[in-house]
Amino acid sequence: KVRRPRAIRRILILCEDEKSSRDYFSSFPHDRNQVEIACVGTGMNTDSLMADAIRRKNAAIKNKAPYESIWVVFDKDSSSSQQFNRAFDLARSHNEITACWSNECFELWYLLHFCYQNTGIAREQIFARVGELLEKAYDKADPSVYATLMPHLERALQNAERLEFANAEQGTKTDNPSTRVHHLVKHLLSLDPDRQ
């Protein structure tokens, strides 16, 4: 008998930045025999990132190795409202692609591990506050951030869900501060064999 290889679930995470979010998401444990997670730091802007996600999705389908899901992680920061909204429109037109934004920046997710933040805050303030809470200067390339934050993960999930609900109630779901990172984190947690 010829033994057929098991089907592997394929997930792609495309990050706007080249360091912090890529390194963070790459740290989540998963069963590599069951799930293949490609986490790519692109250094692209929002428009280019979405176009790249669509290109990669189509190439994977053509190669008969489609992605189960594609997560596009980006910040609002300097993007115009038009660029920001176009990213959501593109994601909605491709079922496998999920827009995973943070406004003002990805590090808002880190801040939510320690406290609830529901008033507008600039990225420089977020970096400074995260540094205070980590008790060292914040460095986007620091590989120890994941391990430092993990004991506070449940609080971050609760704070992010609370913020998302409050923003939806006020009709300001993408305003500063807002994030959808917790949706990707919950998905990654569901792939952890120790949590199943």
Side-chain angles (χ1 to χ4, degrees):
K1 281 186 179 180
V2 176
R3 215 165 163 195
R4 298 180 73 180
R6 282 188 200 166
I8 292 183
R9 299 170 65 187
R10 299 183 75 230
I11 294 162
L12 175 63
I13 303 171
L14 287 178
C15 303
E16 181 181 52
D17 69 67
E18 295 177 83
K19 285 280 181 196
S20 55
S21 58
R22 182 204 65 194
D23 292 348
Y24 176 80
F25 294 126
S26 294
S27 299
F28 279 83
H30 59 280
D31 181 348
R32 295 179 194 285
N33 293 320
Q34 298 293 320
V35 184
E36 176 190 316
I37 300 177
C39 193
V40 182
T42 66
M44 295 179 175
N45 66 31
T46 308
D47 285 338
S48 300
L49 192 62
M50 270 299 174
D52 190 41
I54 294 165
R55 182 188 62 76
R56 289 174 186 255
K57 175 196 128 171
N58 291 335
I61 291 169
K62 185 177 178 181
N63 292 328
K64 295 185 174 35
Y67 291 107
E68 177 180 294
S69 59
I70 299 172
W71 298 80
V72 182
V73 181
F74 57 95
D75 299 344
K76 168 64 172 81
D77 53 38
S78 60
S79 299
S80 69
S81 294
Q82 184 181 17
Q83 285 176 308
F84 201 49
N85 292 331
R86 189 165 50 237
F88 304 134
D89 291 340
L90 281 170
R92 277 192 288 270
S93 66
H94 295 267
N95 291 339
E96 304 87 350
I97 299 176
T98 302
C100 187
W101 79 89
S102 292
N103 189 357
E104 175 88 358
C105 60
F106 176 74
E107 285 76 10
L108 171 66
W109 169 245
Y110 291 172
L111 183 59
L112 292 172
H113 284 70
F114 301 98
C115 61
Y116 180 64
Q117 178 72 39
N118 67 343
T119 55
I121 184 169
R123 74 170 28 232
E124 295 77 19
Q125 292 173 293
I126 293 174
F127 290 169
R129 188 77 182 111
V130 167
E132 289 169 19
L133 294 164
L134 293 174
E135 299 179 349
K136 60 183 177 180
Y138 172 63
D139 176 4
K140 288 174 83 72
D142 182 355
S144 70
V145 171
Y146 172 85
T148 306
L149 294 175
M150 275 308 100
H152 310 283
L153 183 60
E154 289 305 318
R155 183 184 307 147
L157 292 168
Q158 290 168 5
N159 283 337
E161 287 171 359
R162 181 179 167 199
L163 179 60
E164 183 178 30
F165 180 77
N167 286 343
E169 288 261 293
Q170 296 167 20
T172 59
K173 67 180 182 178
T174 62
D175 287 357
N176 181 357
S178 62
T179 187
R180 297 279 297 207
V181 171
H182 56 295
H183 292 279
L184 173 50
V185 168
K186 285 197 278 190
H187 184 62
L188 292 172
L189 289 173
S190 74
L191 303 173
D192 182 350
D194 291 336
R195 287 180 172 255
Q196 294 172 357

